[in-house]
Amino acid sequence: MRRLYTGAILIVCAALLTGCWDIKDLNHRVLPIVMGISYGTSHKYRVHIQVPLPEKNRIISEVYYKEADTISKALTDIDTDIEAGIDYMHVQLIVIDRKVAEDGIEDEVAFIIRSEQIPSKVLLAITSDNIKTLLTHTGKVLQNQESALINFFNKNAGWSPEINLAFVWSTFAAIHSDTEDISIPILRSGKSTMLEFMGSAVMSKGRMKGVIQKEQSLLINLYKELFEGTVVQTAGPTSVAIVGCKNKLHTDWNGQHPRLRMNMRLSLHLIENNSELSNREIEEAFSNDIKKRYEELFHQLLLLESDALGTGQYFRNKLPFNQLPEWREKYYPQLETDIRVVSNIRNSGDITSN
């Protein structure tokens, strides 16, 4: 009886330890790193994937695409025609055609979140280039430098604070938020580099409403204190590097108008001074320049009906819950801003006037 009892337990354990029956060897899988979504010619979508493949002592890049009426069907068709299984959990970037973005990306982002095949932390970008051409161009760079694409968005590598980072999860949250929108970087093939950053698309409920320039994209990152490294700015004939940013926001109501009071403190390093301006005069000129840029940015976003700075988030506790859906149409167009920028040159080094 003891032997029968032990044998039964072993059989049950063996049955429970078969969870890896459907595992695929790494040599039989391909790991795409970029996906492209655009409109097709014969079907609604044309979906591209860029796959790096090892070949002898180097990496080559292949671009595959299919057209279908749904993204999932296009991906299935690509998988069907490739001799290896496709693991989409390694996708790092999804590039969306500008026409798709202008019509709205709510359905496309919802698919990515629901599919569970693609990580929600994947980055989004928009392009006006032909997606196959873009992926073929970036693939040539990846053959010589496998991590080039990652480094373009990596805060510890090639990322610059002018570039807004839009993740799938944050885009999905903004689409379904009553008080926040998002900005998505616009990219194109670089002439001497892998990619060129052309500015940012400002979104509203998942639809592209307009474009802001690279310098304005920096303001969005500074506003949210998403700042790493230094960025050279020019105040007249002088150049400074922003090495620190603290932004304090206060909200209240002026009658029926929401009012945002913004107090930003910037720490600077003096890089070049080709004028007779003193450090104090440079600080004042730079502060006035940044303040003017923020005023222009707020005005432009109001005209585009996009709260890409997410100011509505700071008024959520000041509005009844049932009035939050009215933020974009009723309250945001009446937003008043009071902006104050203070700059401080911390270290002028050995710079002298030329």
Side-chain angles (χ1 to χ4, degrees):
M1 291 297 295
R2 180 177 296 177
R3 291 181 179 178
L4 290 174
Y5 182 72
T6 302
I9 293 178
L10 291 175
I11 292 173
V12 172
C13 291
L16 295 175
L17 293 175
T18 58
C20 297
W21 62 271
D22 61 344
I23 191 171
K24 292 183 180 179
D25 188 87
L26 184 61
N27 293 329
H28 299 150
R29 291 188 294 168
V30 294
L31 311 176
I33 57 175
V34 184
M35 179 185 298
I37 300 174
S38 62
Y39 287 134
T41 55
S42 58
H43 295 81
K44 181 177 181 180
Y45 292 112
R46 173 178 288 188
V47 179
H48 298 75
I49 62 170
Q50 181 191 70
V51 181
L53 300 171
E55 183 181 90
K56 295 182 179 180
N57 297 324
R58 66 192 186 102
I59 297 292
I60 63 172
S61 175
E62 294 288 347
V63 178
Y64 305 98
Y65 71 89
K66 287 290 183 180
E67 289 192 10
D69 291 328
T70 63
I71 298 174
S72 57
K73 183 62 168 62
L75 294 177
T76 300
D77 289 346
I78 295 174
D79 198 2
T80 300
D81 290 347
I82 294 180
E83 62 277 8
I86 303 178
D87 187 350
Y88 291 104
M89 290 303 294
H90 290 264
V91 173
Q92 301 164 4
L93 175 67
I94 296 178
V95 182
I96 300 174
D97 184 79
R98 179 164 179 163
K99 294 179 181 178
V100 178
E102 290 174 343
D103 290 339
I105 59 174
E106 181 177 356
D107 293 339
E108 292 77 11
V109 172
F111 158 74
I112 297 169
I113 293 293
R114 287 196 305 265
S115 70
E116 297 183 353
Q117 299 179 26
I118 305 170
S120 60
K121 63 180 180 181
V122 67
L123 289 161
L124 291 179
I126 294 172
T127 186
S128 296
D129 284 1
N130 178 278
I131 289 184
K132 184 179 181 182
T133 303
L134 175 70
L135 297 187
T136 301
H137 174 76
T138 58
K140 294 178 181 179
V141 179
L142 294 177
Q143 292 177 15
N144 300 316
Q145 187 180 354
E146 298 176 43
S147 60
L149 183 65
I150 304 175
N151 290 340
F152 186 84
F153 298 99
N154 188 347
K155 292 183 179 181
N156 297 316
W159 177 78
S160 174
E162 286 95 344
I163 302 175
N164 300 133
L165 300 179
F167 299 94
V168 166
W169 66 264
S170 59
T171 304
F172 180 80
I175 289 173
H176 296 277
S177 171
D178 294 321
T179 54
E180 183 182 22
D181 291 314
I182 199 170
S183 57
I184 300 178
I186 300 175
L187 305 176
R188 74 175 182 187
S189 302
K191 296 179 180 179
S192 60
T193 58
M194 180 179 65
L195 293 170
E196 287 186 20
F197 174 60
M198 305 304 297
S200 295
V202 292
M203 313 294 289
S204 180
K205 300 297 286 186
R207 179 171 295 177
M208 180 176 170
K209 304 291 286 187
V211 179
I212 59 175
Q213 302 303 314
K214 293 188 288 186
E215 295 78 9
Q216 294 174 307
S217 299
L218 168 65
L219 297 181
I220 291 181
N221 282 335
L222 286 177
Y223 180 85
K224 299 178 179 180
E225 294 185 359
L226 299 176
F227 181 83
E228 303 246 352
T230 60
V231 178
V232 175
Q233 295 287 325
T234 302
T238 64
S239 294
V240 297
I242 304 174
V243 295
C245 175
K246 294 293 182 182
N247 190 27
K248 293 184 179 181
L249 303 173
H250 304 277
T251 57
D252 57 18
W253 293 86
N254 182 14
Q256 296 295 319
H257 301 274
R259 179 168 55 187
L260 176 71
R261 296 181 179 179
M262 172 179 159
N263 293 289
M264 177 175 287
R265 290 186 172 273
L266 298 173
S267 298
L268 312 175
H269 280 184
L270 184 61
I271 304 299
E272 290 183 86
N273 185 5
N274 298 320
S275 69
E276 301 298 327
L277 297 176
S278 65
N279 283 7
R280 182 56 190 161
E281 290 172 328
I282 294 173
E283 292 171 349
E284 183 176 354
F286 186 75
S287 296
N288 292 336
D289 182 53
I290 294 294
K291 177 182 177 180
K292 181 181 178 181
R293 293 188 189 189
Y294 269 112
E295 291 172 345
E296 293 173 349
L297 176 60
F298 272 106
H299 179 68
Q300 184 175 352
L301 292 178
L302 286 172
L303 292 177
L304 294 174
E305 300 177 343
S306 171
D307 190 3
L309 285 167
T311 55
Q313 294 291 89
Y314 299 95
F315 288 93
R316 289 188 68 92
N317 61 348
K318 295 178 172 60
L319 281 172
F321 184 78
N322 62 350
Q323 292 184 19
L324 291 179
E326 301 177 10
W327 168 256
R328 284 186 178 88
E329 292 76 20
K330 182 177 180 180
Y331 298 108
Y332 181 59
Q334 303 179 52
L335 179 69
E336 297 178 0
T337 57
D338 181 8
I339 301 171
R340 182 171 179 262
V341 180
V342 176
S343 301
N344 177 34
I345 296 179
R346 293 171 47 185
N347 180 13
S348 59
D350 298 326
I351 301 299
T352 59
S353 299
N354 295 328

